Protein backbone atom coordinates (compact mmCIF):
# COMPACT_ATOMS: atom_id res chain seq x y z
CA UNK A 1 0.00 0.00 0.00
CA UNK A 2 2.78 2.35 0.94
CA UNK A 3 4.46 1.65 -2.39
CA UNK A 4 1.30 2.42 -4.36
CA UNK A 5 0.82 5.66 -2.50
CA UNK A 6 4.38 6.68 -3.37
CA UNK A 7 3.80 5.88 -7.05
CA UNK A 8 0.82 8.22 -7.09
CA UNK A 9 2.97 11.13 -5.97
CA UNK A 10 4.00 13.53 -8.69
CA UNK A 11 7.22 12.35 -10.33
CA UNK A 12 10.29 14.40 -9.54
CA UNK A 13 11.50 13.82 -13.09
CA UNK A 14 11.00 15.91 -16.19
CA UNK A 15 8.18 14.45 -18.25
CA UNK A 16 8.77 13.73 -21.92
CA UNK A 17 6.29 16.47 -22.70
CA UNK A 18 8.23 18.99 -20.70
CA UNK A 19 11.49 17.68 -22.13
CA UNK A 20 10.18 18.20 -25.66
CA UNK A 21 9.01 21.73 -24.81
CA UNK A 22 12.28 22.82 -23.25
CA UNK A 23 14.31 20.87 -25.78
CA UNK A 24 12.82 23.01 -28.54
CA UNK A 25 13.42 26.11 -26.44
CA UNK A 26 17.06 25.18 -25.87
CA UNK A 27 17.72 24.57 -29.57
CA UNK A 28 16.08 27.94 -30.29
CA UNK A 29 18.26 29.48 -27.61
CA UNK A 30 21.43 28.10 -29.21
CA UNK A 31 20.34 29.21 -32.70
CA UNK A 32 19.56 32.70 -31.38
CA UNK A 33 22.92 32.74 -29.63
CA UNK A 34 24.69 31.98 -32.90
CA UNK A 35 22.60 34.61 -34.71
CA UNK A 36 23.70 37.21 -32.18
CA UNK A 37 27.10 35.98 -31.08
CA UNK A 38 28.96 38.85 -32.73
CA UNK A 39 27.17 41.33 -30.51
CA UNK A 40 28.73 40.00 -27.31
CA UNK A 41 32.08 41.15 -25.95
CA UNK A 42 34.25 38.30 -27.26
CA UNK A 43 36.25 38.09 -24.05
CA UNK A 44 34.15 37.99 -20.92
CA UNK A 45 34.58 41.25 -19.03
CA UNK A 46 33.78 39.56 -15.70
CA UNK A 47 36.15 40.22 -12.81
CA UNK A 48 37.28 37.42 -10.50
CA UNK A 49 34.38 36.45 -8.21
CA UNK A 50 31.70 38.34 -10.20
CA UNK A 51 29.89 35.18 -11.30
CA UNK A 52 30.16 33.31 -8.01
CA UNK A 53 28.82 36.20 -5.95
CA UNK A 54 25.81 36.53 -8.28
CA UNK A 55 24.76 32.91 -7.61
CA UNK A 56 22.38 31.72 -4.88
CA UNK A 57 24.44 31.04 -1.78
CA UNK A 58 22.78 27.73 -0.94
CA UNK A 59 21.44 24.91 -3.12
CA UNK A 60 17.61 24.96 -3.38
CA UNK A 61 15.67 22.85 -0.89
CA UNK A 62 12.97 22.09 -3.47
CA UNK A 63 13.26 21.78 -7.24
CA UNK A 64 12.71 24.80 -9.46
CA UNK A 65 10.88 25.20 -12.77
CA UNK A 66 13.07 24.77 -15.83
CA UNK A 67 12.19 28.18 -17.24
CA UNK A 68 13.68 29.84 -14.13
CA UNK A 69 16.91 27.97 -14.69
CA UNK A 70 17.04 28.92 -18.37
CA UNK A 71 16.42 32.57 -17.50
CA UNK A 72 19.30 32.46 -15.04
CA UNK A 73 21.59 31.14 -17.75
CA UNK A 74 21.00 34.40 -19.59
CA UNK A 75 21.37 36.67 -16.60
CA UNK A 76 23.95 34.89 -14.40
CA UNK A 77 26.03 32.67 -16.65
CA UNK A 78 26.32 34.52 -19.95
CA UNK A 79 28.20 37.50 -18.45
CA UNK A 80 30.98 35.05 -17.56
CA UNK A 81 31.23 33.46 -20.99
CA UNK A 82 34.13 34.14 -23.34
CA UNK A 83 32.69 33.56 -26.77
CA UNK A 84 34.86 30.90 -28.34
CA UNK A 85 32.21 30.48 -31.02
CA UNK A 86 32.38 34.12 -32.06
CA UNK A 87 33.90 34.48 -35.53
CA UNK A 88 35.99 37.22 -33.92
CA UNK A 89 37.65 34.80 -31.50
CA UNK A 90 41.30 34.57 -32.58
CA UNK A 91 42.91 33.50 -29.29
CA UNK A 92 44.95 30.43 -28.32
CA UNK A 93 44.06 27.67 -30.76
CA UNK A 94 40.38 27.42 -31.66
CA UNK A 95 37.91 25.05 -30.07
CA UNK A 96 35.29 25.20 -32.76
CA UNK A 97 32.04 23.38 -33.38
CA UNK A 98 29.24 23.04 -35.92
CA UNK A 99 25.50 22.36 -36.06
CA UNK A 100 25.86 18.70 -37.10
CA UNK A 101 28.34 18.08 -34.30
CA UNK A 102 26.16 19.66 -31.62
CA UNK A 103 23.09 17.73 -32.75
CA UNK A 104 24.95 14.42 -32.78
CA UNK A 105 26.39 15.16 -29.33
CA UNK A 106 22.88 15.82 -28.10
CA UNK A 107 21.85 12.40 -29.34
CA UNK A 108 24.88 10.93 -27.61
CA UNK A 109 23.73 12.62 -24.38
CA UNK A 110 20.23 11.30 -24.95
CA UNK A 111 21.46 7.75 -25.44
CA UNK A 112 23.64 8.17 -22.39
CA UNK A 113 25.64 5.04 -23.05
CA UNK A 114 28.94 4.20 -21.44
CA UNK A 115 31.10 2.56 -24.11
CA UNK A 116 33.73 1.14 -21.77
CA UNK A 117 33.44 -2.34 -23.31
CA UNK A 118 32.30 -3.53 -26.72
CA UNK A 119 29.54 -5.36 -24.86
CA UNK A 120 28.20 -2.19 -23.21
CA UNK A 121 27.23 -0.74 -26.62
CA UNK A 122 28.69 -2.41 -29.70
CA UNK A 123 27.86 0.57 -31.93
CA UNK A 124 29.85 2.90 -29.70
CA UNK A 125 32.98 0.82 -30.23
CA UNK A 126 32.55 -0.21 -33.85
CA UNK A 127 31.62 3.26 -35.08
CA UNK A 128 34.70 4.66 -33.34
CA UNK A 129 37.01 2.10 -34.95
CA UNK A 130 35.44 2.73 -38.33
CA UNK A 131 35.51 6.54 -38.18
CA UNK A 132 39.12 6.56 -37.04
CA UNK A 133 40.00 4.32 -39.98
CA UNK A 134 38.24 6.84 -42.20
CA UNK A 135 40.31 9.61 -40.67
CA UNK A 136 43.54 7.65 -41.10
CA UNK A 137 42.73 7.46 -44.81
CA UNK A 138 41.64 11.10 -45.00
CA UNK A 139 44.91 12.28 -43.40
CA UNK A 140 46.93 9.93 -45.63
CA UNK A 141 48.46 7.93 -42.77
CA UNK A 142 50.66 4.89 -43.31
CA UNK A 143 48.58 1.71 -43.33
CA UNK A 144 49.86 0.51 -39.98
CA UNK A 145 47.65 3.05 -38.19
CA UNK A 146 44.56 1.24 -39.48
CA UNK A 147 42.57 -1.23 -37.39
CA UNK A 148 42.73 -4.01 -39.99
CA UNK A 149 46.50 -3.98 -39.47
CA UNK A 150 48.34 -3.86 -36.16
CA UNK A 151 47.29 -0.37 -35.12
CA UNK A 152 44.14 1.67 -34.86
CA UNK A 153 42.67 4.82 -33.44
CA UNK A 154 40.83 5.76 -30.28
CA UNK A 155 39.06 8.94 -29.20
CA UNK A 156 40.32 10.54 -26.00
CA UNK A 157 39.10 13.63 -24.18
CA UNK A 158 42.17 15.73 -24.92
CA UNK A 159 45.59 15.63 -26.53
CA UNK A 160 47.06 15.70 -23.02
CA UNK A 161 45.43 12.35 -22.22
CA UNK A 162 46.40 10.94 -25.62
CA UNK A 163 50.05 11.89 -25.09
CA UNK A 164 50.02 10.45 -21.59
CA UNK A 165 48.73 7.12 -22.93
CA UNK A 166 51.42 7.15 -25.61
CA UNK A 167 54.12 7.83 -23.04
CA UNK A 168 52.91 5.04 -20.77
CA UNK A 169 52.94 2.61 -23.70
CA UNK A 170 56.46 3.76 -24.61
CA UNK A 171 57.61 3.36 -20.99
CA UNK A 172 56.28 -0.19 -20.77
CA UNK A 173 57.77 -1.08 -24.14
CA UNK A 174 61.18 0.11 -23.01
CA UNK A 175 60.89 -1.71 -19.67
CA UNK A 176 59.29 -4.89 -21.06
CA UNK A 177 56.23 -4.23 -18.92
CA UNK A 178 58.26 -4.01 -15.71
CA UNK A 179 58.11 -0.32 -14.89
CA UNK A 180 56.77 -1.08 -11.42
CA UNK A 181 60.11 -2.60 -10.44
CA UNK A 182 62.39 -0.51 -8.27
CA UNK A 183 64.66 1.78 -10.27
CA UNK A 184 62.96 1.21 -13.60
CA UNK A 185 61.85 4.78 -14.14
CA UNK A 186 64.53 7.05 -12.73
CA UNK A 187 66.69 6.95 -15.79
CA UNK A 188 64.12 7.04 -18.55
CA UNK A 189 64.53 10.25 -20.55
CA UNK A 190 62.09 11.89 -22.93
CA UNK A 191 62.93 14.54 -25.53
CA UNK A 192 60.91 17.57 -26.54
CA UNK A 193 61.80 20.91 -28.05
CA UNK A 194 61.65 24.14 -26.10
CA UNK A 195 58.43 24.80 -28.08
CA UNK A 196 56.67 21.49 -27.33
CA UNK A 197 53.36 21.75 -25.50
CA UNK A 198 53.59 21.48 -21.70
CA UNK A 199 51.23 18.48 -21.77
CA UNK A 200 54.24 16.27 -22.55
CA UNK A 201 56.01 17.43 -19.42
CA UNK A 202 52.82 16.77 -17.48
CA UNK A 203 52.60 13.31 -19.06
CA UNK A 204 56.14 12.63 -17.79
CA UNK A 205 55.13 13.79 -14.30
CA UNK A 206 52.06 11.56 -14.27
CA UNK A 207 53.79 8.58 -15.88
CA UNK A 208 56.44 8.56 -13.15
CA UNK A 209 59.20 9.61 -15.51
CA UNK A 210 59.46 13.01 -13.83
CA UNK A 211 59.75 16.42 -15.39
CA UNK A 212 63.48 16.52 -14.64
CA UNK A 213 63.90 13.66 -17.11
CA UNK A 214 62.31 15.61 -19.92
CA UNK A 215 65.17 17.09 -21.93
CA UNK A 216 64.53 20.35 -23.74
CA UNK A 217 66.10 20.45 -27.19
CA UNK A 218 66.80 23.84 -28.70
CA UNK A 219 65.12 25.03 -31.87
CA UNK A 220 66.06 26.42 -35.26
CA UNK A 221 65.27 29.92 -36.45
CA UNK A 222 61.80 28.72 -37.55
CA UNK A 223 61.19 27.26 -34.04
CA UNK A 224 61.33 23.65 -35.23
CA UNK A 225 63.36 21.14 -33.24
CA UNK A 226 67.08 21.23 -33.97
CA UNK A 227 67.93 17.75 -35.16
CA UNK A 228 71.71 17.69 -34.49
CA UNK A 229 71.03 18.89 -30.91
CA UNK A 230 68.52 16.08 -30.43
CA UNK A 231 70.97 13.47 -31.61
CA UNK A 232 73.80 14.90 -29.53
CA UNK A 233 71.67 14.92 -26.37
CA UNK A 234 70.50 11.33 -26.88
CA UNK A 235 74.06 10.10 -27.36
CA UNK A 236 75.28 12.02 -24.31
CA UNK A 237 72.44 10.79 -22.10
CA UNK A 238 72.96 7.17 -23.12
CA UNK A 239 76.66 7.54 -22.29
CA UNK A 240 75.77 9.05 -18.88
CA UNK A 241 73.63 6.04 -17.97
CA UNK A 242 70.22 7.45 -18.86
CA UNK A 243 67.72 5.45 -20.88
CA UNK A 244 66.33 7.52 -23.76
CA UNK A 245 62.87 6.18 -24.63
CA UNK A 246 60.52 8.83 -26.05
CA UNK A 247 60.61 11.78 -28.43
CA UNK A 248 57.72 14.09 -29.18
CA UNK A 249 57.67 15.71 -32.62
CA UNK A 250 55.17 18.54 -33.01
CA UNK A 251 53.25 19.48 -36.12
CA UNK A 252 52.09 22.98 -35.26
CA UNK A 253 53.56 24.14 -31.95
CA UNK A 254 51.28 26.13 -29.68
CA UNK A 255 53.31 29.32 -29.66
CA UNK A 256 54.00 29.69 -33.37
CA UNK A 257 52.70 26.65 -35.32
CA UNK A 258 56.27 25.49 -36.00
CA UNK A 259 56.57 22.17 -37.76
CA UNK A 260 59.17 19.69 -36.57
CA UNK A 261 60.70 17.38 -39.14
CA UNK A 262 58.90 14.12 -38.40
CA UNK A 263 61.15 12.45 -40.96
CA UNK A 264 64.46 13.50 -39.38
CA UNK A 265 63.27 12.85 -35.84
CA UNK A 266 61.84 9.54 -36.99
CA UNK A 267 65.17 8.42 -38.42
CA UNK A 268 66.85 9.12 -35.09
CA UNK A 269 64.11 7.27 -33.18
CA UNK A 270 64.53 4.35 -35.53
CA UNK A 271 68.29 4.30 -35.03
CA UNK A 272 68.17 4.51 -31.20
CA UNK A 273 64.97 2.47 -30.74
CA UNK A 274 62.95 5.31 -29.25
CA UNK A 275 59.21 5.80 -29.35
CA UNK A 276 58.21 8.70 -31.61
CA UNK A 277 54.99 10.43 -30.66
CA UNK A 278 53.60 13.09 -33.00
CA UNK A 279 51.53 15.91 -31.50
CA UNK A 280 49.53 17.59 -34.25
CA UNK A 281 46.81 18.89 -31.92
CA UNK A 282 45.55 21.68 -34.15
CA UNK A 283 47.58 21.64 -37.36
CA UNK A 284 46.80 17.97 -38.01
CA UNK A 285 43.47 19.14 -39.41
CA UNK A 286 45.29 20.93 -42.24
CA UNK A 287 46.50 17.56 -43.51
CA UNK A 288 42.97 16.86 -44.71
CA UNK A 289 44.25 18.80 -47.73
CA UNK A 290 46.85 17.02 -49.88
CA UNK A 291 48.90 20.22 -50.20
CA UNK A 292 49.61 20.14 -46.42
CA UNK A 293 50.37 16.44 -46.17
CA UNK A 294 54.07 17.22 -46.60
CA UNK A 295 53.98 17.76 -42.83
CA UNK A 296 53.43 14.00 -42.47
CA UNK A 297 56.64 13.05 -44.25
CA UNK A 298 58.28 10.40 -42.08
CA UNK A 299 55.09 9.32 -40.35
CA UNK A 300 56.01 5.72 -41.12
CA UNK A 301 58.47 6.05 -38.21
CA UNK A 302 55.80 7.25 -35.75
CA UNK A 303 54.55 4.96 -33.00
CA UNK A 304 51.69 7.27 -32.09
CA UNK A 305 50.00 10.39 -33.40
CA UNK A 306 47.43 12.69 -31.87
CA UNK A 307 45.26 15.48 -33.23
CA UNK A 308 42.12 17.20 -31.97
CA UNK A 309 39.07 17.42 -34.21
CA UNK A 310 37.74 19.57 -31.34
CA UNK A 311 40.23 22.27 -32.20
CA UNK A 312 39.82 22.96 -35.89
CA UNK A 313 37.67 20.20 -37.38
CA UNK A 314 34.18 21.43 -36.54
CA UNK A 315 33.63 18.80 -33.85
CA UNK A 316 32.71 20.15 -30.47
CA UNK A 317 34.82 19.65 -27.39
CA UNK A 318 35.86 17.03 -26.42
CA UNK A 319 37.28 14.89 -29.20
CA UNK A 320 40.98 14.11 -29.49
CA UNK A 321 42.13 11.23 -31.69
CA UNK A 322 45.06 9.01 -30.80
CA UNK A 323 46.43 6.69 -33.47
CA UNK A 324 48.76 3.93 -32.55
CA UNK A 325 51.05 1.85 -34.74
CA UNK A 326 50.89 -1.30 -32.62
CA UNK A 327 47.76 -1.43 -30.50
CA UNK A 328 49.06 -4.32 -28.40
CA UNK A 329 51.74 -2.04 -27.00
CA UNK A 330 49.08 0.36 -25.74
CA UNK A 331 46.64 -2.28 -24.56
CA UNK A 332 49.22 -4.28 -22.65
CA UNK A 333 50.30 -1.09 -20.84
CA UNK A 334 46.77 -0.13 -19.76
CA UNK A 335 44.86 -3.39 -19.48
CA UNK A 336 43.00 -4.34 -16.31
CA UNK A 337 40.53 -7.19 -15.99
CA UNK A 338 38.50 -7.28 -12.78
CA UNK A 339 35.89 -10.01 -12.54
CA UNK A 340 32.96 -7.60 -12.79
CA UNK A 341 34.01 -6.61 -16.32
CA UNK A 342 34.52 -10.16 -17.53
CA UNK A 343 32.34 -11.10 -20.48
CA UNK A 344 32.24 -13.56 -23.33
CA UNK A 345 32.86 -11.03 -26.11
CA UNK A 346 36.02 -9.70 -24.45
CA UNK A 347 37.25 -13.22 -23.84
CA UNK A 348 36.65 -14.19 -27.46
CA UNK A 349 39.32 -11.71 -28.56
CA UNK A 350 37.07 -10.69 -31.45
CA UNK A 351 36.21 -7.26 -30.14
CA UNK A 352 37.89 -4.05 -29.09
CA UNK A 353 37.35 -2.86 -25.52
CA UNK A 354 38.36 0.77 -25.61
CA UNK A 355 38.68 1.01 -21.84
CA UNK A 356 42.09 -0.63 -22.43
CA UNK A 357 43.13 2.23 -24.73
CA UNK A 358 42.70 5.07 -22.22
CA UNK A 359 43.13 6.04 -18.57
CA UNK A 360 39.49 6.12 -17.37
CA UNK A 361 37.15 3.17 -17.54
CA UNK A 362 33.99 4.95 -18.67
CA UNK A 363 33.72 6.69 -22.00
CA UNK A 364 31.26 8.83 -23.93
CA UNK A 365 29.90 8.06 -27.37
CA UNK A 366 32.10 10.67 -29.06
CA UNK A 367 32.42 9.02 -32.45
CA UNK A 368 28.79 9.88 -33.21
CA UNK A 369 29.62 13.57 -33.59
CA UNK A 370 32.79 12.90 -35.58
CA UNK A 371 30.94 10.56 -37.95
CA UNK A 372 28.16 13.12 -38.36
CA UNK A 373 30.62 15.93 -39.11
CA UNK A 374 32.51 13.90 -41.72
CA UNK A 375 29.28 12.78 -43.39
CA UNK A 376 27.66 16.23 -43.31
CA UNK A 377 30.62 18.13 -44.78
CA UNK A 378 32.28 15.38 -46.79
CA UNK A 379 36.03 15.39 -47.41
CA UNK A 380 35.66 18.13 -49.99
CA UNK A 381 33.68 20.38 -47.66
CA UNK A 382 36.22 19.98 -44.89
CA UNK A 383 39.11 20.66 -47.25
CA UNK A 384 37.49 23.82 -48.59
CA UNK A 385 36.81 25.08 -45.10
CA UNK A 386 40.43 24.54 -44.01
CA UNK A 387 41.71 26.27 -47.15
CA UNK A 388 39.37 29.18 -46.55
CA UNK A 389 40.73 29.73 -43.04
CA UNK A 390 44.32 29.51 -44.25
CA UNK A 391 43.59 31.98 -47.07
CA UNK A 392 42.10 34.46 -44.66
CA UNK A 393 45.05 34.11 -42.27
CA UNK A 394 47.42 34.63 -45.17
CA UNK A 395 45.62 37.86 -46.10
CA UNK A 396 46.09 39.08 -42.55
CA UNK A 397 49.76 38.11 -42.80
CA UNK A 398 50.16 40.19 -45.97
CA UNK A 399 48.59 43.25 -44.29
CA UNK A 400 50.89 43.01 -41.27
CA UNK A 401 53.92 42.44 -43.48
CA UNK A 402 53.21 45.50 -45.53
CA UNK A 403 52.86 47.79 -42.51
CA UNK A 404 56.25 49.01 -41.35
CA UNK A 405 54.97 49.68 -37.81
CA UNK A 406 54.66 45.90 -37.26
CA UNK A 407 56.87 42.86 -37.63
CA UNK A 408 56.22 39.15 -38.22
CA UNK A 409 57.78 36.95 -35.54
CA UNK A 410 57.61 33.45 -37.04
CA UNK A 411 56.94 31.69 -40.34
CA UNK A 412 53.19 31.37 -40.85
CA UNK A 413 52.41 28.59 -43.31
CA UNK A 414 48.91 27.92 -41.94
CA UNK A 415 46.30 29.78 -39.89
CA UNK A 416 48.35 31.33 -37.07
CA UNK A 417 50.08 34.67 -37.42
CA UNK A 418 52.62 35.76 -34.79
CA UNK A 419 53.43 39.45 -34.92
CA UNK A 420 54.19 42.49 -32.78
CA UNK A 421 54.26 46.21 -32.97
CA UNK A 422 57.83 47.39 -33.39
CA UNK A 423 58.74 48.78 -29.99
CA UNK A 424 58.80 47.67 -26.39
CA UNK A 425 57.11 44.71 -24.71
CA UNK A 426 55.11 47.27 -22.73
CA UNK A 427 53.69 48.73 -25.91
CA UNK A 428 52.62 45.27 -27.07
CA UNK A 429 51.13 44.35 -23.70
CA UNK A 430 49.17 47.62 -23.66
CA UNK A 431 48.03 46.94 -27.21
CA UNK A 432 46.84 43.44 -26.27
CA UNK A 433 44.91 44.78 -23.28
CA UNK A 434 43.38 47.54 -25.35
CA UNK A 435 42.23 45.06 -28.00
CA UNK A 436 40.77 42.52 -25.61
CA UNK A 437 39.18 45.07 -23.30
CA UNK A 438 37.37 46.52 -26.30
CA UNK A 439 35.45 43.23 -26.50
CA UNK A 440 35.46 43.53 -30.29
CA UNK A 441 37.89 40.68 -30.92
CA UNK A 442 40.01 38.36 -28.80
CA UNK A 443 43.66 37.56 -29.44
CA UNK A 444 46.32 36.11 -27.13
CA UNK A 445 50.08 36.29 -26.81
CA UNK A 446 53.25 34.27 -26.47
CA UNK A 447 56.95 34.96 -26.14
CA UNK A 448 59.21 34.32 -29.12
CA UNK A 449 62.94 35.07 -29.10
CA UNK A 450 62.24 36.58 -25.71
CA UNK A 451 59.90 39.20 -27.14
CA UNK A 452 56.25 39.64 -26.17
CA UNK A 453 54.41 38.51 -29.28
CA UNK A 454 50.78 38.74 -30.35
CA UNK A 455 49.08 35.70 -31.91
CA UNK A 456 46.07 35.76 -34.20
CA UNK A 457 44.72 32.34 -35.08
CA UNK A 458 41.93 31.90 -37.62
CA UNK A 459 39.90 28.82 -36.77
CA UNK A 460 36.38 29.60 -35.64
CA UNK A 461 33.76 27.94 -37.84
CA UNK A 462 32.25 31.15 -39.27
CA UNK A 463 35.29 33.42 -39.38
CA UNK A 464 35.45 35.24 -42.69
CA UNK A 465 37.63 37.88 -44.25
CA UNK A 466 35.49 40.75 -42.89
CA UNK A 467 36.21 39.59 -39.32
CA UNK A 468 39.95 39.56 -39.93
CA UNK A 469 39.73 42.96 -41.60
CA UNK A 470 37.95 44.30 -38.53
CA UNK A 471 40.66 42.79 -36.33
CA UNK A 472 43.41 44.44 -38.33
CA UNK A 473 41.62 47.80 -38.18
CA UNK A 474 41.36 47.54 -34.40
CA UNK A 475 44.99 46.49 -34.03
CA UNK A 476 46.15 49.48 -36.08
CA UNK A 477 43.99 51.96 -34.20
CA UNK A 478 45.08 50.38 -30.90
CA UNK A 479 48.68 50.92 -31.93
CA UNK A 480 48.07 54.62 -32.60
CA UNK A 481 46.35 55.06 -29.20
CA UNK A 482 49.02 53.20 -27.22
CA UNK A 483 52.26 54.15 -28.93
CA UNK A 484 52.72 57.02 -26.47
N1 LIG B 1 49.50 20.01 -28.07
C1 LIG B 1 49.45 21.19 -28.69
C2 LIG B 1 50.39 21.45 -29.83
C3 LIG B 1 48.52 22.16 -28.29
O1 LIG B 1 48.50 23.33 -28.90
C4 LIG B 1 47.64 21.87 -27.23
C5 LIG B 1 46.65 22.86 -26.79
O2 LIG B 1 46.47 23.89 -27.37
C6 LIG B 1 47.75 20.62 -26.61
C7 LIG B 1 48.69 19.72 -27.04
C8 LIG B 1 46.87 20.26 -25.45
O3 LIG B 1 45.60 20.06 -25.92
P1 LIG B 1 44.44 19.49 -25.00
O4 LIG B 1 43.77 20.66 -24.41
O5 LIG B 1 43.58 18.73 -25.96
O6 LIG B 1 45.06 18.61 -23.98
Amino acid sequence: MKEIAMNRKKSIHMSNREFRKYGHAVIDWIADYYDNVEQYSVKSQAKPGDIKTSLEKNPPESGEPMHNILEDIDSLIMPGITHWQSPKFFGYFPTNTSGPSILADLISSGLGVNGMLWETSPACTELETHVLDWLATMLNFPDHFMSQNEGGGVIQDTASSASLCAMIAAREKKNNGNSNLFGCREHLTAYVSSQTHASIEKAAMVAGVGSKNVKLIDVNIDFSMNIPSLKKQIIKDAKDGYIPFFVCATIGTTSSNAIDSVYEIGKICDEYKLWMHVDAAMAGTATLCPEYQYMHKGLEYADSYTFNPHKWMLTNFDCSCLFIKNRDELISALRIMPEYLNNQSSKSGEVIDYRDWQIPLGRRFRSLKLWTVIRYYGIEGLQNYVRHHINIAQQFLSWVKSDERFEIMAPAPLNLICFRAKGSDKLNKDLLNYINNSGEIYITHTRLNDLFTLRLCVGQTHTDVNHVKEAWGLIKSGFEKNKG
Side-chain angles (χ1 to χ4, degrees), residues 87-107:
K88 297 187 289 184
F89 181 97
F90 300 107
Y92 306 102
F93 277 160
T95 297
N96 72 18
T97 186
S98 65
S101 170
I102 295 168
L103 293 176
D105 213 25
L106 192 57
I107 294 173

Side-chain angles (χ1 to χ4, degrees), residues 93 157-161 197 199 250 252-254 279 281 308 310-311 320:
F93 277 160
D157 53 3
T158 59
S160 303
S161 300
H197 192 266
S199 52
T250 306
T253 59
T254 314
D279 175 1
N308 291 356
H310 74 226
K311 283 198 183 324
S320 177

Side-chain angles (χ1 to χ4, degrees), residues 90 396 441 456 466-476:
F90 300 107
F396 179 83
I441 66 166
L456 181 139
N466 56 311
H467 302 111
V468 177
K469 218 180 246 170
E470 194 182 320
W472 180 227
L474 186 68
I475 292 163
K476 285 189 295 184

Side-chain angles (χ1 to χ4, degrees), residues 4-37:
I4 293 168
M6 274 179 68
N7 283 344
R8 280 212 200 99
K9 265 173 76 183
K10 193 172 172 292
S11 167
I12 58 166
H13 300 295
M14 183 178 271
S15 69
N16 274 345
R17 217 171 122 188
E18 197 186 359
F19 179 74
R20 201 179 294 278
K21 176 178 154 192
Y22 286 111
H24 286 290
V26 164
I27 295 290
D28 280 344
W29 186 95
I30 298 173
D32 287 346
Y33 171 61
Y34 285 159
D35 278 346
N36 298 315
V37 68

Side-chain angles (χ1 to χ4, degrees), residues 377-398:
Y377 288 93
I379 298 173
E380 227 175 62
L382 291 169
Q383 288 172 336
N384 289 339
Y385 140 87
V386 164
R387 287 180 183 129
H388 183 56
H389 276 171
I390 295 175
N391 274 338
I392 295 172
Q394 295 301 313
Q395 288 193 40
F396 179 83
L397 174 69
S398 69

Side-chain angles (χ1 to χ4, degrees), residues 1-273:
M1 282 300 282
K2 198 171 166 199
E3 212 170 274
I4 293 168
M6 274 179 68
N7 283 344
R8 280 212 200 99
K9 265 173 76 183
K10 193 172 172 292
S11 167
I12 58 166
H13 300 295
M14 183 178 271
S15 69
N16 274 345
R17 217 171 122 188
E18 197 186 359
F19 179 74
R20 201 179 294 278
K21 176 178 154 192
Y22 286 111
H24 286 290
V26 164
I27 295 290
D28 280 344
W29 186 95
I30 298 173
D32 287 346
Y33 171 61
Y34 285 159
D35 278 346
N36 298 315
V37 68
E38 290 188 41
Q39 287 159 31
Y40 290 93
S41 165
V42 185
K43 183 171 184 282
S44 167
Q45 302 296 325
K47 303 274 172 300
D50 276 359
I51 305 304
K52 192 165 187 316
T53 47
S54 73
L55 301 172
E56 276 297 328
K57 191 155 182 278
N58 297 311
E61 208 55 56
S62 346
E64 299 180 55
M66 192 66 197
H67 63 84
N68 284 8
I69 301 168
L70 293 180
E71 272 172 26
D72 283 354
I73 290 177
D74 279 326
S75 58
L76 304 180
I77 305 300
M78 292 307 281
I81 294 295
T82 287
H83 299 278
W84 286 70
Q85 302 316 319
S86 166
K88 297 187 289 184
F89 181 97
F90 300 107
Y92 306 102
F93 277 160
T95 297
N96 72 18
T97 186
S98 65
S101 170
I102 295 168
L103 293 176
D105 213 25
L106 192 57
I107 294 173
S108 166
S109 292
L111 292 172
V113 303
N114 181 339
M116 58 190 182
L117 304 167
W118 177 88
E119 185 114 339
T120 57
S121 255
C124 185
T125 294
E126 294 192 15
L127 184 66
E128 186 160 332
T129 309
H130 194 66
V131 173
L132 270 74
D133 281 344
W134 274 8
L135 267 180
T137 313
M138 290 161 68
L139 303 184
N140 199 23
F141 282 171
D143 287 346
H144 58 239
F145 282 120
M146 309 279 286
S147 68
Q148 68 266 31
N149 300 317
E150 289 184 348
V154 56
I155 304 179
Q156 309 261 339
D157 53 3
T158 59
S160 303
S161 300
S163 298
L164 172 60
C165 290
M167 190 178 282
I168 291 171
R171 184 192 73 190
E172 293 311 307
K173 184 175 183 185
K174 189 51 104 184
N175 282 336
N176 296 317
N178 288 320
S179 296
N180 56 339
L181 296 181
F182 182 74
C184 266
R185 297 184 195 188
E186 280 99 80
H187 296 106
L188 291 176
T189 48
Y191 300 83
V192 301
S193 87
S194 57
Q195 300 294 306
T196 304
H197 192 266
S199 52
I200 305 296
E201 182 184 350
K202 193 182 256 190
M205 290 159 70
V206 177
V209 170
S211 51
K212 74 170 181 13
N213 284 351
V214 177
K215 302 285 173 106
L216 284 195
I217 306 300
D218 55 18
V219 291
N220 302 312
I221 191 165
D222 64 357
F223 301 105
S224 66
M225 189 186 281
N226 182 282
I227 304 299
S229 300
L230 172 67
K231 188 162 179 170
K232 212 163 115 193
Q233 187 70 46
I234 291 170
I235 293 170
K236 177 180 181 310
D237 288 345
K239 221 187 248 164
D240 291 348
Y242 289 99
I243 306 170
F245 82 112
F246 181 96
V247 183
C248 177
T250 306
I251 295 179
T253 59
T254 314
S255 273
S256 72
N257 239 355
I259 299 157
D260 289 341
S261 170
V262 172
Y263 178 68
E264 295 298 337
I265 295 172
K267 280 198 302 187
I268 293 177
C269 289
D270 193 45
E271 185 179 348
Y272 294 95
K273 304 277 164 284

